[in-house]
Amino acid sequence: MTTVRVRIAPSPTGNLHIGTARTAVFNWLYARHQNGKFILRIEDTDKARSRPEYTENIKSGLEWLGLNWDEGPFFQTQRLDKYQAAIQTLLDQDLAYLCYCTTEELDQMRSEQKANGLAPRYDNRHRNLTEQEKADFAAAGRKPVIRFKIDDDREISWQDAVRGRVLWKGSDLGGDMVIARAGESDGIGQPLYNLAVVVDDMDMEINHVIRGEDHIANTAKQILLYEALGADIPVFAHTPLILNEEGKKLSKRDGVTSIDDFRKMGFLPVALANYMALLGWTPPDSTEEIFTLEQAAEKFELERVNKAGAKFDWAKLDWINSQYLHQIPAGELVELLIPYWQDAGYSIDLEGDRSWLESLAAMIAPSLNRLSDGVSETKMFFAESVAYTDEAIAFLKQENVSDILSGVITALDEAETLGADEAKAIIKQVTKGLKVKKGLVMRSLRAGLTGEMHGPDLTQSWLLLHQKGWDKLRLEKALSLID
Ligand code: GLU
């Protein structure tokens, strides 16, 4: 049986994009399910826009998500001789030709087409130049591009593993396509995407091409190239686009696009990978939502990839992330939170505060959707004093509150140690002593200790502040705000 070979072929013209990462997830899942190979190819022929730092970002992003590749990375810029050889073969067989049109001529052709209500396309005008015409153009200093012939009356069809039968007309492909730019001297210039991809996919024995549906028209062109080069045509699977809440293609305007952005926002790689697998794929048990990539790979079939666009649902991603976050032991969670606290500029003593930080992490864990949520929620634990909200100040001014706070301060002075039991005892003692409701004591404490009316577990917060020696100071400060 032939081994399934799939690839992800990003262009290093930007950081690893969510769309590319999701395509990588599907390729990886398919490869693992089929016991096949997942190959990484960097499509860096566009020298002006490709950068080594983007390649690094793409590699580290794939690794972060757990999308390990079996072969590569291969770089197109190191394979130019292979493209040139293929182009030469096409020229020799008269399947490709030199086109000497200038940019001005092409522009004029397109504006005439537009003026006549026609779709802009190349009209194949240099397909049958005589040797004399070619020589004249060359003598005039024109540098030719190389075009591959696409007959208008061709019909191209394939059985797409996601979309079923797809049919394209040759006449809808924009005329003979450029496969190489003009060379500096008289040689073949930079090969273009469709040609390079086909040569690579042939050479790397890719037998399943799984990529975004925005490549459908390219697939039609590429099938013609496979035929011309005498190669087997792979199975194509076009995955649905990722859409924003309005149903439009997810773009930079939607806030995030790169995997780095998601990492910075506090998503865990397992959760993000889990969510991306669901962006267009439905597991056989459609109620199943939490799984690792390995678990998904056991069940992944291209037949269960949807045709319709996949709406990006932030609430669902948050929920999936929270499911993972809530399972992480505090000792590990604290390690994940520390960089966020450091980025927020909180002063942290990593050595001395270790167990205190761990208790802090354990306290906020149940309310976290994203790691970054752990920043605002803990702000009040990283400085001696806090700013009091208007709501808290108004509350502090209510009847009985100053007596409650003074009562707690006195009890604290008398207490030798403060643990959960002692804290509860103090609350009870003040409640009884002043004959007030327990809820009022709790709210007074929260306002006095944290400067806010809402927040994480109160007793636990109090103990953490006490361990820093800040509880009494804050209660005294609160008292001073009352008069
Ligand atoms: N470099 C192309 C891209 O990033 C690859 C498309 C393909 O998979 O053929 O869109």
Side-chain angles (χ1 to χ4, degrees):
M1 226 178 87
T2 27
T3 307
V4 161
R5 291 175 63 82
V6 297
R7 77 326 189 253
I8 185 73
S11 307
T13 53
N15 287 334
L16 179 62
H17 184 276
I18 176 87
T20 310
R22 198 277 310 255
T23 304
V25 167
F26 283 12
N27 276 280
W28 186 96
L29 290 173
Y30 191 64
R32 295 294 168 258
H33 181 77
Q34 297 283 342
N35 238 333
K37 299 278 182 219
F38 174 57
I39 291 144
L40 172 60
R41 181 170 76 226
I42 303 292
E43 304 208 320
D44 57 349
T45 46
D46 183 347
K47 288 211 189 88
R49 292 170 59 223
S50 297
R51 299 239 187 92
E53 56 268 35
Y54 293 140
T55 298
E56 284 316 306
N57 180 279
I58 289 165
K59 279 163 52 187
S60 64
L62 292 173
E63 278 165 359
W64 183 71
L65 289 164
L67 300 168
N68 57 313
W69 53 93
D70 305 303
E71 291 173 27
F74 299 108
F75 292 86
Q76 288 194 324
T77 44
Q78 292 168 12
R79 302 171 45 80
L80 294 173
D81 51 336
K82 299 203 189 277
Y83 313 133
Q84 305 224 330
I87 293 166
Q88 196 55 57
T89 305
L90 295 172
L91 286 169
D92 293 346
Q93 296 181 351
D94 202 22
L95 297 170
Y97 62 92
L98 306 181
C99 164
Y100 290 89
C101 289
T102 62
T103 319
E104 294 72 36
E105 284 168 352
L106 293 173
D107 285 347
Q108 199 197 337
M109 178 187 74
R110 289 196 196 99
S111 37
E112 279 169 19
Q113 287 164 339
K114 259 191 168 161
N116 293 326
L118 300 168
R121 70 196 301 272
Y122 176 62
D123 62 5
N124 303 348
R125 60 177 65 178
H126 281 193
R127 207 191 242 211
N128 298 308
L129 292 180
T130 61
E131 289 309 314
Q132 186 58 50
E133 284 168 322
K134 284 186 210 169
D136 290 347
F137 282 133
R142 292 195 186 195
K143 302 265 181 264
V145 300
I146 296 168
R147 287 188 186 267
F148 173 70
K149 294 181 184 173
I150 299 182
D151 287 331
D152 277 354
D153 56 7
R154 265 302 309 255
E155 284 206 336
I156 306 119
S157 83
W158 69 93
Q159 188 63 27
D160 195 286
V162 172
R163 313 179 69 81
R165 174 82 24 208
V166 180
L167 189 70
W168 274 82
K169 289 205 216 99
S171 52
D172 286 342
L173 292 175
D176 294 342
M177 75 166 148
V178 180
I179 52 174
R181 284 198 221 283
E184 279 310 312
S185 53
D186 279 340
I188 297 169
Q190 188 193 330
L192 294 191
Y193 163 74
N194 281 306
L195 183 278
V197 162
V198 170
V199 170
D200 283 345
D201 285 342
M202 281 167 51
D203 201 44
M204 294 170 194
E205 297 177 6
I206 302 300
N207 44 30
H208 289 71
V209 173
I210 305 168
R211 62 183 169 201
E213 85 178 28
D214 44 340
H215 283 289
I216 285 194
N218 286 328
T219 296
K221 294 177 185 171
Q222 289 175 19
I223 285 175
L224 295 176
L225 282 168
Y226 276 101
E227 284 179 9
L229 293 167
D232 288 344
I233 296 168
V235 173
F236 288 97
H238 289 95
T239 59
L241 295 181
I242 306 178
L243 307 176
N244 66 14
E245 317 251 304
E246 284 97 51
K248 303 229 173 72
K249 189 176 166 183
L250 194 74
S251 77
K252 284 212 174 94
R253 260 166 283 131
D254 298 299
V256 282
T257 45
S258 87
I259 293 304
D260 255 356
D261 293 334
F262 286 94
R263 185 178 53 75
K264 286 185 198 133
M265 289 170 77
F267 293 104
L268 297 170
V270 271
L272 185 57
N274 182 159
Y275 180 64
M276 285 194 289
L278 287 168
L279 271 179
W281 174 65
T282 316
D285 171 1
S286 61
T287 59
E288 221 183 322
E289 294 189 302
I290 302 294
F291 43 72
T292 60
L293 286 182
E294 285 73 19
Q295 289 163 338
E298 285 168 25
K299 302 165 191 164
F300 187 84
E301 301 281 1
L302 291 169
E303 289 71 37
R304 294 196 64 85
V305 173
N306 314 320
K307 286 196 207 80
K311 226 176 219 185
F312 196 91
D313 180 348
W314 286 99
K316 180 134 180 199
L317 173 59
D318 274 335
W319 177 79
I320 290 178
N321 204 51
S322 75
Q323 300 302 301
Y324 285 95
L325 275 178
H326 298 172
Q327 282 170 17
I328 298 182
E332 283 170 39
L333 182 61
V334 73
E335 292 300 334
L336 297 171
L337 285 167
I338 285 169
Y340 288 85
W341 288 332
Q342 286 172 327
D343 276 356
Y346 298 166
S347 81
I348 299 180
D349 171 4
L350 287 181
E351 300 278 301
D353 276 348
R354 177 69 215 206
S355 73
W356 182 86
L357 291 169
E358 207 170 301
S359 310
L360 180 63
M363 179 181 70
I364 59 164
S367 66
L368 295 183
N369 283 333
R370 305 178 186 181
L371 287 166
S372 51
D373 295 340
V375 171
S376 55
E377 280 192 37
T378 56
K379 187 161 188 255
M380 66 175 107
F381 294 95
F382 286 103
E384 189 172 296
S385 56
V386 277
Y388 289 77
T389 63
D390 292 344
E391 194 192 4
I393 294 173
F395 180 86
L396 289 168
K397 292 188 170 165
Q398 287 185 21
E399 209 185 338
N400 293 327
V401 175
S402 73
D403 291 343
I404 291 171
L405 297 188
S406 306
V408 174
I409 291 170
T410 313
L412 271 175
D413 285 338
E414 287 163 4
E416 276 174 20
T417 55
L418 188 81
D421 292 341
E422 289 84 358
K424 281 181 193 140
I426 293 178
I427 292 168
K428 201 166 174 189
Q429 177 192 327
V430 173
T431 306
K432 281 199 166 169
L434 294 172
K435 294 196 177 58
V436 288
K437 291 225 167 80
K438 186 179 165 199
L440 184 68
V441 176
M442 300 295 272
R443 286 200 298 282
S444 306
L445 265 175
R446 186 180 290 287
L449 288 170
T450 72
E452 289 173 30
M453 297 311 297
H454 308 278
D457 182 87
L458 180 63
T459 316
Q460 194 58 33
S461 301
W462 183 8
L463 296 182
L464 287 168
L465 291 169
H466 182 80
Q467 284 155 21
K468 286 276 175 189
W470 295 340
D471 54 342
K472 204 176 132 192
L473 290 172
R474 290 197 187 175
L475 295 175
E476 282 165 350
K477 172 78 197 298
L479 267 181
S480 75
L481 295 173
I482 296 176
D483 332 302

